[in-house]
Every structure is written in structure tokens, then in C-alpha cells.
Amino acid sequence: MPMFDPPHPGEVIRTEIVQAHNLTVTAAAKVLGVSRQALSSLLNGQADLTGDMALRIEKAFGPKMDTLMGMQSAYDIFQTRQRARTVRVRPYRAVDTRRPPQAGSLPHNDARLK
């Protein structure tokens, strides 16, 4: 079941990991082995959570990468659904390109039987 307006994963990481461990962004970035700017962008919702960052968070702090990436996916799906009306795509309909048989002709496989 889709979540209604899920938070950006950076918001959760900021409150549940960085703040919960009383870390500064700089200190958390050092623990994760990433730049302060990269972590700050994620925490402020300006960048998506990447698989690499999720793995680093799992190794350093424990939350499973799968859970973190699921949060990103839920966020992305919700944001995209909000824009669904602006996406203009017609449903695909298969076109029958076969020619109708001519009167008196046999189907291709039976042509050898003449």
C-alpha cells in the first residue's frame, strides 16, 4: 500500500541517525567517508539517496540498505504520481499489420497442398 506523502529519506536520516547520535553534519560525513556537501544535500532533500550512500549508512549506523532504498523509492513514486497529470502519453495499442487473406487463397502453411 503506497504511503501518503512519505518524507524524503534525508529527513529521516537527519533525525534518526545524525541528530540521534548527536553528530554534526561534518562529523557524520567523516564517519561515512563522504563530503560534507554530499551529506548536507541529502539531509536537506536536495539530493536523492544513492545505493552507495545507503550502504555506507548501513555499515556505519545499522539501518539496512534495503529499508533506506525502499524509503527513496516510496518518495520517488509519490513525487512522480503527483506529476502524473502533466505526463502526456497515449496508451499503446497494437496495430494488426497482417493483410487479410484474399478470397480463394489458402493460408501460407497450406499453400504447399495445392
Side-chain angles (χ1 to χ4, degrees), residues 30-84:
K30 187 173 182 176
V31 169
L32 295 170
V34 298
S35 71
R36 183 196 183 288
Q37 181 58 43
L39 182 58
S40 180
S41 293
L42 171 63
L43 300 180
N44 291 314
Q46 298 166 342
D48 290 343
L49 176 67
T50 64
D52 181 73
M53 184 70 82
L55 181 60
R56 289 171 182 273
I57 292 168
E58 176 184 274
K59 287 184 167 208
F61 298 104
K64 295 294 181 195
M65 177 184 182
D66 304 59
T67 301
L68 297 170
M69 294 306 293
M71 291 168 45
Q72 182 66 55
S73 179
Y75 178 81
D76 290 343
I77 290 167
F78 181 82
Q79 296 301 316
T80 303
R81 290 276 180 216
Q82 295 301 306
R83 298 187 309 268

Side-chain angles (χ1 to χ4, degrees), residues 104-107 109-114:
S105 69
L106 296 173
N109 290 343
D110 293 339
R112 292 174 287 170
L113 301 176
K114 278 187 176 181

